[in-house]
Amino acid sequence: MNATATTARTLRLGDGLEVTFDERGDAAESGGTGVLLLHGGAGPRSVAGLAGALSEHAYVVTPVHPGFDGTPRVPWLDSVADLADVYLDLLAELKLDAVMVIGNSIGGWIASEMALRDIDGRVKSVVLINATGIRPDSPDQVIDIRTLAPAEIPKLSFHNPALVPNPATMTDEQRAGMAANQQAMAVYGGEDFFFAPKLRRRLHRVTVPVLVAWGEEDGIFPAGYGRAYAGVFRNGHFKAIAEAGHMPQIEQPGAVLGAIGDFVDTVVRPDGD
C-alpha cells in the first residue's frame, strides 16, 4: 500500500461519546487488518509522522483522545481503562480483527489495557514506545512530572535540545491548547497519574507479542523502567533507541520504524504469513 492522504472522521459510539480520528487508507479494503496508533500527552501531532510512514504498509487509524485538541469528553470517560474499552469498540465499529496497537507514553498505557481487555482477539501485537502505565520498581526510578515546573518537562523529554518546544514562540491559543491537553491527561491518569497500581501484576496474562521500544535519553522514564515493562509480558521484547528521549518517533523515526519492522519480521510474522 502506498502512503495515502489523511481523512478526518468522527464516529458516535454510544452514551454521548464521539471519537475523532485520522484515517490513512480504507478500512473496507484492509481485509480487517491495520494499525491503531495512540498518542501521548503531547497530542496527536506527536505521532503524525509515524502514522504517515506506517501508512505505506498498512491501514492506520490515529484517534484523538477525547478532551485533547479541543474534542469533547463525556463525563463518564475518566480513566485509561475507559479509553481502552472505547478503542476496542472503535476497532469493532471499523471491522478490524487483526490489529497492531502502537502507543507512545500514555498511549502505550492504553495499549497495554487494550491487550488485557481484548476478549474478541482483535489485538494481535502491541508496540509500546516509552510507555507509562506500570508501577515503577521504586518511587525514585521515574520522575513524577507533577513535581516539575512546566518548562522543565520538555527539557527532560528530548535528547536534542533543538526540538524542545519554546512557549515564547507559541500563540496564546497554542498554549491554551497544551494546558487543556494536560488537564485531560490528568483526568485519565487519576490519582497515581502515570500508572495503574495493579496493572503490572496483570500483564502476564497478555499472550500476544509485545515490543517495548525506548528512547534511551528519556529523562523522566529511564530505560530501566522500559526494560521492567518488557519483562512483565510473556512474550515481551525490549529495544533501546539511541539518541532519543520520551518521543523517539520524533527524534529517531528511522530507528523506531526499523525496530517495528524487525519485530514484525522476527516475532509477529517470522514465516512471512
Side-chain angles (χ1 to χ4, degrees):
M1 181 182 296
N2 294 324
T4 55
T6 303
T7 301
R9 295 180 60 188
T10 298
L11 287 180
R12 294 182 178 181
L13 296 180
D15 294 327
L17 174 66
E18 292 184 348
V19 174
T20 297
F21 58 94
D22 283 345
E23 181 181 50
R24 291 170 173 84
D26 190 312
E29 297 179 358
S30 71
T33 67
V35 173
L36 180 71
L37 180 56
L38 304 174
H39 67 79
R45 284 178 292 277
S46 64
V47 295
L50 180 59
L54 291 169
S55 72
E56 297 182 15
H57 309 282
Y59 168 64
V60 181
V61 174
T62 310
V64 180
H65 308 325
F68 278 75
D69 279 17
T71 57
R73 180 186 63 82
V74 291
W76 60 261
L77 186 66
D78 60 6
S79 72
V80 168
D82 288 338
L83 282 173
D85 288 338
V86 165
Y87 292 144
L88 287 170
D89 288 344
L90 178 63
L91 296 184
E93 185 73 18
L94 294 173
K95 296 181 172 55
L96 299 176
D97 53 21
V99 179
M100 170 181 280
V101 182
I102 303 175
N104 172 230
S105 192
I106 193 174
W109 180 0
I110 300 166
S112 293
E113 293 277 8
M114 288 182 68
L116 269 179
R117 295 161 176 269
D118 180 29
I119 59 175
D120 293 328
R122 298 180 187 277
V123 177
K124 302 302 185 185
S125 59
V126 175
V127 177
L128 307 180
I129 303 173
N130 288 68
T132 61
I134 64 168
R135 185 191 294 273
D137 292 324
S138 62
D140 60 354
Q141 185 182 31
V142 302
I143 295 176
D144 187 338
I145 63 173
R146 293 173 295 182
T147 66
L148 300 175
E152 292 301 310
I153 298 172
K155 294 178 183 178
L156 293 172
S157 298
F158 287 94
H159 167 69
N160 182 353
L163 295 175
V164 176
N166 182 1
T169 65
M170 297 179 184
T171 65
D172 290 342
E173 183 179 4
Q174 288 173 323
R175 285 192 289 269
M178 289 180 61
N181 286 354
Q182 294 305 306
Q183 290 171 1
M185 189 170 69
V187 170
Y188 291 127
E191 180 180 356
D192 294 299
F193 191 62
F194 67 87
F195 68 90
K198 297 180 181 179
L199 180 62
R200 183 169 182 165
R201 65 182 180 84
R202 291 174 173 163
L203 289 178
H204 69 91
R205 299 174 187 165
V206 174
T207 58
V208 299
V210 178
L211 170 65
V212 179
W214 215 266
E216 289 185 303
E217 305 303 323
D218 190 334
I220 299 172
F221 296 94
Y225 180 80
R227 292 183 185 278
Y229 215 143
V232 301
F233 294 102
R234 293 189 193 182
N235 192 3
H237 306 263
F238 181 82
K239 175 64 176 180
I241 307 296
E243 298 184 352
H246 192 61
M247 289 175 276
Q249 75 275 8
I250 293 177
E251 295 197 88
Q252 299 294 339
V256 171
L257 287 168
I260 295 172
D262 288 345
F263 174 60
V264 170
D265 292 341
T266 61
V267 179
V268 179
R269 296 200 301 263
D271 299 323
D273 298 332

